[in-house]
Each structure stands twice: as structure tokens, then as C-alpha cells.
Amino acid sequence: MLNIKLYGAKQYWCQVPRIAQGLEGLGHNTKKSDKYDLVYANNFPYSEIDNEHDDSALDNECVKIFNVLDIPVHIPDFPLEKLQKQLSQASIVTCISEPVKHQLFTMLNIEAHVIDNPIKEVFFDPSVNKDIDCLYVGRGTDPVKRSHLLEPLFDYMVSVGPFSGFGKHLGLVSDLVLNQLYNRAKVVPLPSSFEGLGLTALEAMVCGAVPLVCSDNPNARLCPSFCICDPTQESILSKYHEILDNFDDYSQDILSQYSSKIQYRFSKFQIAQNIINLYSKHLKK
């Protein structure tokens, strides 16, 4: 058993609580300890004082794994030099997807290990009727989210998450309610130009919904080709109606070819195991 100290946002909709559950499910301790074997910090800045621990990830002498969710290139003054300096103090640098790995190498010349990101506790429920044509999940105000591309769909849309405010907006919901909404949904649009991973599309596919993603998003490759369209309002509206017209076939293809694979690869237990595998490999060097 390892004693592991976790840094990162602790709200239930964030990644750290799920990673903690995964590590504990593998038999490791993430509660307070006198001595830690491993520090895992989920996102920059790693120097921020953690209220739970009253210190920062940089203060620890044990093995340190610093994870990168993405480099937000849409923020003009993002402190790349500070990020690079802090990552240099990590024993291991990880990230959540191949596009983020590419960012780290091309922008900072840092080699990172892809560990993926845990999806929420979602599952396909065949007893639920698909009675929501369009469900938007996430923050609608970030520039990279490009929510303006969804304007033709606003009249059909139910939206959840912070700050979206378009369609029938339900605000933040529990994982249980979100799972029900995914199972009720037919189309789940994700028009972003860049996502660290795009958990919304993956969670939608687990539940038999069809994600609608734009071709310039590097994570579009995780979705079937019939989900992908050009990043224009006209193309999105056309693809939306195509998906509705072919929903039964598209949904069945996703459930048979993608759903169970996503549940396994992006489970909290698999991501926790990816972290432990890197720790063990580092000790053998």
C-alpha cells in the first residue's frame, strides 16, 4: 500500500475525487499520513497552497507526478515559463491526452506520459426513453468552447454545467442526474476547437448518445466519423439533423463498438493504475 498525497480541485465534478476513489479501490491510502510515498498534483499551478494540506506540491521530497490538463493557448498571458519551471521539479510529467502531450513537447520540449482522464459514473440504461434531442454539458463561456456555433440549436437544447445559460439551463447537477440526462439524450454537441480530452463526448457515448464534434478538434478521432462536422453553424445544423434521422443506427453502432471500451479505458480505476504503473517504473530506474 502506498501513502499518496493528492492536490487539485476537490469538487465532486472534478477529477481528483474520482482519482482518489480509484487509488483507494486499488488498496492505496489517500488520507492524511505522516509520510508520503507519492504526490500526485492534477493541474498547474503546483505551487498553490492546498487548504487541506497547508502546503504546495512543490514542497514534498517524495516522488512527484505533475499532471497537465492542457495548455490554454487562448489565454494570451498564460505563464508558460512558470509552468515549465514547475514541471522541471516533477519526477514524472503526465497529461490527459495525445494532443496535450504534443502541446508539452512542441511548446516546452517536455516529454509527458498520457494517463487519460476519468469519466464520471455513467452507464447505459436501456429502460430510459431518448426524449431529449439535444443536450449540452459543460462551460459555455470559454472561447475555445465556441458555443456561438450552437445558436441554431438553442431552441432544441437542454444545457447543464456552470455559466452556459442557453437553451433550457439546469445549472450544475449531480452525477446521478447527469447520467439520466445522458441516457435521455440523442445528440450531445461539443463544438470546441480544443479540449484536453473531451469527457462529455466519451460520457455521452457510454450512454448511447451521439456526440457532435468539430473536425478541427484534435480529439475528434476518439469518435466515429459520422459524429464529425465542419466548425460552422451550417455544418453543425446539417449534422444535427443527420444524426436525428439516423439515430437508432448510429446509437447502436456506438453502443456495440465504443461504449464498453470507453468505460474500461477511462474508468477511475484504470487511470489510478496508470499512475501507479508510472510510479513503479520510476522506482526501478
Side-chain angles (χ1 to χ4, degrees), residues 8-239:
K10 304 297 194 299
Q11 293 92 337
Y12 72 88
W13 60 84
C14 297
Q15 292 84 20
V16 166
R18 296 197 290 279
I19 291 171
Q21 291 168 3
L23 291 167
E24 290 164 4
L26 297 178
H28 303 290
N29 173 50
T30 65
K31 304 297 189 286
K32 191 169 184 178
S33 175
D34 294 331
K35 184 179 180 180
Y36 294 96
D37 303 292
L38 169 64
V39 160
Y40 174 83
N42 198 50
N43 201 25
F44 173 80
Y46 311 100
S47 57
E48 281 191 346
I49 298 298
D50 186 287
N51 291 331
E52 180 180 346
H53 303 294
D54 197 31
D55 61 7
S56 80
L58 299 178
D59 295 335
N60 293 271
E61 299 299 326
C62 59
V63 174
K64 294 191 281 282
I65 296 180
F66 290 174
N67 189 54
V68 181
L69 301 179
D70 70 347
I71 298 179
V73 294
H74 62 283
I75 301 178
D77 299 325
F78 182 78
L80 276 175
E81 290 185 3
K82 182 178 179 180
L83 172 62
Q84 187 172 37
K85 182 178 179 180
Q86 290 190 4
L87 289 177
S88 71
Q89 299 179 57
S91 311
I92 304 165
V93 176
T94 61
C95 61
I96 63 172
S97 68
E98 289 294 335
V100 179
K101 179 178 180 177
H102 180 72
Q103 277 189 320
L104 286 165
F105 184 74
T106 56
M107 299 175 71
L108 300 177
N109 197 31
I110 290 176
E111 288 281 2
H113 302 268
V114 177
I115 60 170
D116 294 325
N117 214 7
I119 60 174
K120 294 182 176 67
E121 301 287 339
V122 296
F123 59 90
F124 175 60
D125 186 348
S127 69
V128 176
N129 292 325
K130 292 286 188 182
D131 59 359
I132 296 177
D133 283 348
C134 187
L135 173 69
Y136 181 85
V137 179
R139 299 183 305 275
T141 55
D142 290 0
V144 295
K145 300 294 185 180
R146 299 192 302 199
S147 58
H148 66 280
L149 293 177
L150 298 180
E151 287 180 10
L153 307 183
F154 283 178
D155 289 342
Y156 317 113
M157 185 179 294
V158 173
S159 65
V160 298
F163 318 127
S164 59
F166 44 79
K168 181 182 178 182
H169 183 53
L170 304 181
L172 289 170
V173 298
S174 68
D175 286 1
L176 181 63
V177 171
L178 181 61
N179 183 68
Q180 286 292 303
L181 291 170
Y182 276 134
N183 274 281
R184 291 173 59 191
K186 292 182 178 179
V187 183
V188 179
L190 188 71
S192 310
S193 57
F194 186 90
E195 291 278 345
L197 184 56
L199 293 179
T200 297
L202 300 176
E203 292 164 354
M205 287 193 284
V206 168
C207 300
V210 181
L212 193 165
V213 297
C214 292
S215 56
D216 58 345
N217 186 328
N219 282 308
R221 60 183 180 80
L222 296 173
C223 302
S225 59
F226 55 71
C227 300
I228 302 171
C229 67
D230 293 331
T232 66
Q233 289 187 357
E234 295 77 16
S235 181
I236 284 175
L237 183 60
S238 175
K239 177 60 69 172

